[in-house]
Amino acid sequence: MVLKSVENRLERIFERTFSRPFKSALQPIEIGTRIVREVDLTRRLSARGPISANVIRVWLGPADAQRFEGFQKALVTELEESVRQHALSEGYAFVGPVRVEIFIDDVLKTGAVEVKTEFVGGESQPRLIASDGRSFALGDLPLIIGRSPDVEVVVNDSNVSRQHAEVWRTSQGVAIRDLESTNGTYVNGHRVSAVSLSPSDDVTVGKLHFRIELA
C-alpha cells in the first residue's frame, strides 16, 4: 500500500513535468520504489522507536541522467516528500532533515540505479509543510498563516482570514492557534482554538492542508 502511494505520487509528477519519452529508460517511479525499499532495509531501532535514514544518494547512468536534465529539481523534491510520507506511514523518525542527492556514475548502464542511505544528524528544525509543496522553517517567532500579503504563510483563498492562524515552537514541539478567523482552523477534521501538533496531524486552513516535520 505504501509503495503504491509512492508510485501514485511519482506518476503525478511524471505526467505533469516530464514530457520526454521514457519507454525503455529508467522511470521516476523505479527510483522512488528503490529508495523506499532501501530506507526500509537500513532502518534502525532506538529507544524512541524505528529511525529512518535521512540522506539518500542516488546514482544514475549518463543516459538516464541526461534524460532527467532540467527536471532534476522537481524529481528530487518529489522523492524527498515520498521519503517523508513513507516514514510517517511506517512510524519512522529522522535524526536530521531529509535530503535526496542525485549523482552520475559513468559505469552504470541505462535503466540501472544505485541507492545508498545514511544517517546524518542535524539540529532539530521543525518545518511547516503545505500541500502545495511549500515549506516553512519554524524559528523563534511564530509563523502567521493568512490571506494578507504581509504574513509569513500566504494563502490565496477567500475563505481564509487575513491573519487566520499562527504556528509556533513550544518546549514539547509545535502548536497551532486560531486567530479568531471567520471560517476556523481544523486539525484532523475538528475545529480548534489552540492545540499541540504531531507529524501525523492534518491541519486545514481554507482549502490548503498543512503538516509539520519535526526533524
Side-chain angles (χ1 to χ4, degrees):
M1 181 63 70
V2 174
L3 284 177
K4 187 61 179 176
S5 175
V6 172
E7 289 177 359
N8 290 339
R9 291 181 56 80
L10 290 170
E11 280 176 355
R12 289 196 294 272
I13 193 70
F14 177 79
E15 293 171 356
R16 183 171 67 247
T17 309
F18 296 90
S19 58
R20 303 180 190 180
F22 287 82
K23 292 181 180 179
S24 60
L26 184 68
Q27 302 289 327
I29 295 170
E30 294 177 79
I31 302 174
T33 53
R34 178 66 183 277
I35 286 175
V36 167
R37 290 192 187 97
E38 197 66 26
V39 164
D40 285 338
L41 288 171
T42 59
R43 70 186 183 278
R44 299 175 181 173
L45 292 179
S46 72
R48 57 177 178 148
I51 297 178
S52 167
N54 60 301
V55 174
I56 295 91
R57 296 185 173 91
V58 179
W59 281 267
L60 308 176
D64 288 317
Q66 185 176 13
R67 291 186 182 91
F68 289 121
E69 188 177 352
F71 305 105
Q72 205 177 98
K73 184 177 180 180
L75 178 62
V76 165
T77 298
E78 198 67 19
L79 290 172
E80 289 176 342
E81 182 61 19
S82 295
V83 172
R84 296 187 188 101
Q85 291 290 341
H86 178 62
L88 179 63
S89 67
E90 294 295 312
Y92 300 160
F94 295 111
V95 297
V98 175
R99 189 169 78 247
V100 172
E101 301 172 344
I102 296 180
F103 302 93
I104 300 175
D105 186 337
D106 293 333
V107 177
L108 288 178
K109 296 180 180 180
T110 301
V113 58
E114 289 189 3
V115 176
K116 293 184 179 180
T117 62
E118 191 173 350
F119 296 78
V120 179
E123 182 181 353
S124 177
Q125 179 69 76
R127 303 187 72 82
L128 181 68
I129 311 296
S131 56
D132 61 6
R134 290 182 293 165
S135 175
F136 307 89
L138 278 162
D140 296 330
L141 298 177
L143 290 178
I144 306 296
I145 304 172
R147 199 178 72 251
S148 170
D150 299 324
V151 303
E152 291 77 17
V153 185
V154 178
V155 181
N156 294 316
D157 185 337
S158 59
N159 294 314
V160 174
S161 299
R162 290 181 61 79
Q163 292 195 2
H164 194 104
E166 65 176 357
V167 181
W168 76 100
R169 297 179 69 169
T170 70
S171 57
Q172 287 78 36
V174 177
I176 189 168
R177 178 187 293 117
D178 184 76
L179 298 176
E180 298 183 354
S181 64
T182 301
N183 294 308
T185 300
Y186 293 80
V187 176
N188 301 325
H190 302 285
R191 189 165 182 168
V192 300
S193 54
V195 67
S196 296
L197 297 174
S198 70
S200 60
D201 289 329
D202 175 63
V203 178
T204 308
V205 175
K207 296 179 181 180
L208 198 62
H209 293 262
F210 297 90
R211 63 176 179 81
I212 61 165
E213 180 182 296
L214 294 180

